[in-house]
Amino acid sequence: MAALQNSVPSLHHTLFINFFPQKGLRKHHHGAFLCCKRGVSVHVRAEQSSSAADSSSSSHFQDSCGRRQMIAAGITAPLVSIVDQTPIAFAAETKKGFLSMTDKKDGYSFLYPFGWQEVVIEGQDKVFKDVIEPLESVSVNLIATSKQDIRDFGSPQEVAETLIKKVLAPATQKTKLIGAAEHDVDGKAYYTFEFVAQAPNFTRHALSAVCIGNGKFYTLTTGANERRWDKMKDRLFTVIDSFRIFNV
């Protein structure tokens, strides 16, 4: 656990974005993390689906996605011509209601709900957010490590508790670890855990997955407002279960 404690400052610098529900971005006056505030321009990149939503989708889902796309289009229209279109990372629709993000440079992939938009944030490798529900997001962060296996940092519970208390939620929020587990995919160990973080005006219900590969400590976190957890949980578990690391 000492090794993970030593990694906390670097993780802390980049992961706080998951727990701030406002709609813009600004830098903390100490430079420790980025949080959100209205009135500051945000660079948002809309991902284009390779096909229309399946015709059997419920009208509620179609209406919701349509509303989000219209809002996102209005935000991103002035930026379309300046967005970098390099194919290092790309999205393609692979499962009903989801898009697949694959980063060939850093060696990871995951699914995210159709309609979420990419937000470019300093210190985060990748962030997608719902344009209406700001607590609904997924982010990927990675830092260099000399460790070869996530188990070198301790048990799932130990790693989860350390990250939740010192990285994934501000010290002012009351947090609770709901569960943590280990699973193996293609010989690589992953830790996943579920937790809640309670602020004065909202509670976020979140899921995280951590893994080590390519000399990096990968952290993927997704979540939603507690009031929408029952509606979103199946989609969020799909996100967390889809997270994969591959050699580059």
Side-chain angles (χ1 to χ4, degrees), residues 47 49 61 64-66 68-69 72 97-99 112-118 128-132:
E47 298 292 343
S49 173
F61 179 77
S64 176
C65 287
R68 284 163 170 74
Q69 288 176 306
F98 291 86
L99 295 177
Y112 65 94
F114 182 83
W116 285 13
Q117 305 301 321
E118 184 174 1
F128 290 89
K129 295 175 73 73
D130 187 285
V131 296
I132 294 175

Side-chain angles (χ1 to χ4, degrees), residues 17-190:
I17 190 65
N18 294 298
F19 283 90
F20 291 89
Q22 298 90 341
K23 298 185 181 293
L25 302 174
R26 70 176 177 86
K27 191 168 185 179
H28 189 277
H29 67 284
H30 293 305
F33 60 88
L34 294 178
C35 64
C36 306
K37 185 176 182 180
R38 294 181 183 274
V40 182
S41 62
V42 182
H43 182 181
V44 181
R45 180 162 62 217
E47 298 292 343
Q48 301 298 320
S49 173
S50 60
S51 63
D54 190 277
S55 59
S56 65
S57 299
S58 69
S59 60
H60 175 79
F61 179 77
Q62 290 174 333
D63 291 344
S64 176
C65 287
R67 185 167 53 139
R68 284 163 170 74
Q69 288 176 306
M70 289 176 66
I71 292 174
I75 294 172
T76 61
L79 298 171
V80 170
S81 62
I82 63 173
V83 170
D84 181 10
Q85 297 295 334
T86 54
I88 291 173
F90 63 92
E93 191 167 14
T94 58
K95 181 176 181 179
K96 179 181 176 182
F98 291 86
L99 295 177
S100 174
M101 168 55 62
T102 299
D103 189 321
K104 294 183 177 180
K105 177 182 177 182
D106 292 312
Y108 66 86
S109 64
F110 62 93
L111 301 178
Y112 65 94
F114 182 83
W116 285 13
Q117 305 301 321
E118 184 174 1
V119 183
V120 179
I121 298 172
E122 181 184 350
Q124 293 287 316
D125 198 66
K126 194 67 64 177
V127 181
F128 290 89
K129 295 175 73 73
D130 187 285
V131 296
I132 294 175
E133 295 287 343
L135 287 181
E136 293 174 13
S137 66
V138 59
S139 66
V140 176
N141 175 266
L142 45 93
I143 62 170
T145 180
S146 60
K147 299 294 184 180
Q148 301 297 314
D149 193 300
I150 190 64
R151 290 168 291 200
D152 293 339
F153 286 108
S155 69
Q157 291 76 17
E158 289 173 327
V159 171
E161 289 283 6
T162 299
L163 292 176
I164 292 168
K165 292 179 179 179
K166 297 184 178 295
V167 177
L168 296 175
T172 55
Q173 293 186 2
K174 182 179 179 181
T175 61
K176 178 183 178 181
L177 174 63
I178 296 174
E182 174 186 338
H183 68 277
D184 184 278
V185 178
D186 297 329
K188 191 178 296 295
Y190 293 75

Side-chain angles (χ1 to χ4, degrees), residues 185-205:
V185 178
D186 297 329
K188 191 178 296 295
Y190 293 75
Y191 287 173
T192 57
F193 52 94
E194 178 180 358
F195 65 100
V196 293
Q198 184 176 357
N201 58 337
F202 68 89
T203 298
R204 191 176 196 241
H205 200 137

